[in-house]
Amino acid sequence: MANQNDSFIDEVTEDLRRDRLFRLFRRYGWIVLLAILGIVLGAAWREYSRSQHETRAEVWGDAILAAEQAQDRVAALSAVDPQGGAGRKALSEMLAAGFEAEAGLDQKAAERLKAAADAVKDDPVLRDLALLKAVMAAGPAMDAAERDRILSELSKAGAPFELLALEQKAVALIGAGRKEDAIMLIGQIQQKDGLSEPLRRRLSEMMITLGAEPERAEGPGPQSMPAPAAN
């Protein structure tokens, strides 16, 4: 009899629990459904946005490749639709400036690069890259004060192209006939961390050209292979 009473109580308790859950679902179930719907729609929107972004990037990339094969590559690159991206427009302008520099239009290339830098002020990497390219394109023809101002900004500690800007400072010093200052600056650059191998070679070549001792690579040199043991 006791077992029957316990079973009856358990059934009543379970019915009450189900009834309470049903009432809670009727009252708050729409919130749960909205949350689930929001998660599903959010995931779908993210996937759609990613797909659209990839499609625009592919279309822009194809347009850039086609422009580089055009008869007037500079005009074709300038006319490429950046698909709403200021960064893409700056990149196409940098490519166009590169072809202008190849054609000997250094001043036009430098002006184009400075304009591209102004258009991406919120992107320090693209901005600094465009300005550095402008200095390199203009060369000695750039106003000395403007060149020094740009390179001083680009060579600040932690700047994206700090080392390359310092290299251009050294090039400017060499061009101005300030040999000792150039040697001192090159030596300082060689002591900095993060030098790429091509940059290290260029700095060493500049030192040799200036008649100074190039930096010696630190650490042990190539080790000879041990002779095989005699049998």
Side-chain angles (χ1 to χ4, degrees), residues 68-91:
E68 289 182 332
Q69 303 302 319
Q71 185 171 0
D72 187 344
R73 293 176 293 186
V74 173
L77 285 166
S78 297
V80 170
D81 182 1
Q83 301 287 321
R88 290 181 186 142
K89 179 62 177 175
L91 288 173

Side-chain angles (χ1 to χ4, degrees), residues 8-84:
F8 175 76
I9 292 172
D10 290 340
E11 290 179 8
V12 171
T13 301
E14 185 63 27
D15 287 342
L16 289 173
R17 185 181 296 111
R18 282 198 298 266
D19 185 60
R20 187 179 298 112
L21 288 174
F22 181 71
R23 289 199 304 271
L24 287 173
F25 182 78
R26 289 181 59 186
R27 180 175 299 179
Y28 302 110
W30 64 274
I31 298 177
V32 177
L33 291 176
L34 281 179
I36 295 173
L37 183 62
I39 293 171
V40 173
L41 290 177
W45 175 254
R46 284 194 298 273
E47 182 63 24
Y48 172 77
S49 298
R50 185 181 65 81
S51 175
Q52 289 294 100
H53 178 76
E54 290 179 354
T55 299
R56 287 194 296 269
E58 289 175 1
V59 169
W60 179 78
D62 291 341
I64 289 292
L65 292 176
E68 289 182 332
Q69 303 302 319
Q71 185 171 0
D72 187 344
R73 293 176 293 186
V74 173
L77 285 166
S78 297
V80 170
D81 182 1
Q83 301 287 321

Side-chain angles (χ1 to χ4, degrees), residues 32-225:
V32 177
L33 291 176
L34 281 179
I36 295 173
L37 183 62
I39 293 171
V40 173
L41 290 177
W45 175 254
R46 284 194 298 273
E47 182 63 24
Y48 172 77
S49 298
R50 185 181 65 81
S51 175
Q52 289 294 100
H53 178 76
E54 290 179 354
T55 299
R56 287 194 296 269
E58 289 175 1
V59 169
W60 179 78
D62 291 341
I64 289 292
L65 292 176
E68 289 182 332
Q69 303 302 319
Q71 185 171 0
D72 187 344
R73 293 176 293 186
V74 173
L77 285 166
S78 297
V80 170
D81 182 1
Q83 301 287 321
R88 290 181 186 142
K89 179 62 177 175
L91 288 173
S92 62
E93 288 296 295
M94 287 187 214
L95 291 172
F99 288 118
E100 284 180 329
E102 285 182 11
L105 303 173
D106 295 338
Q107 193 57 39
K108 290 187 67 174
E111 293 302 321
R112 184 184 296 275
L113 288 163
K114 286 190 286 185
D118 284 338
V120 285
K121 290 180 178 179
D122 294 335
D123 189 327
V125 174
L126 284 179
R127 174 184 173 276
D128 286 11
L129 178 59
L131 286 175
L132 181 62
K133 284 180 169 291
V135 171
M136 296 171 68
M142 178 175 278
D143 177 73
E146 181 184 19
R147 181 188 60 208
D148 291 345
R149 176 184 60 78
I150 293 174
L151 289 178
S152 293
E153 182 179 353
L154 298 182
S155 61
K156 290 179 180 177
F161 303 100
E162 174 192 355
L163 298 178
L164 295 177
L166 288 171
E167 179 191 16
Q168 289 305 307
K169 274 189 172 184
V171 171
L173 289 172
I174 295 171
R178 297 167 58 182
K179 174 181 173 180
E180 296 302 323
D181 291 337
I183 291 174
M184 182 178 298
L185 177 56
I186 293 171
Q188 292 171 354
I189 301 171
Q190 289 175 324
Q191 300 306 313
K192 289 183 174 291
D193 294 330
L195 263 68
S196 65
E197 191 56 35
L199 177 55
R200 190 181 296 279
R201 284 199 302 268
R202 292 198 302 271
L203 294 173
S204 295
E205 289 167 2
M206 281 194 281
M207 291 288 269
I208 293 171
T209 301
L210 293 169
E213 182 71 19
E215 178 202 42
R216 294 185 180 277
E218 296 181 357
Q223 301 296 312
S224 58
M225 294 295 291

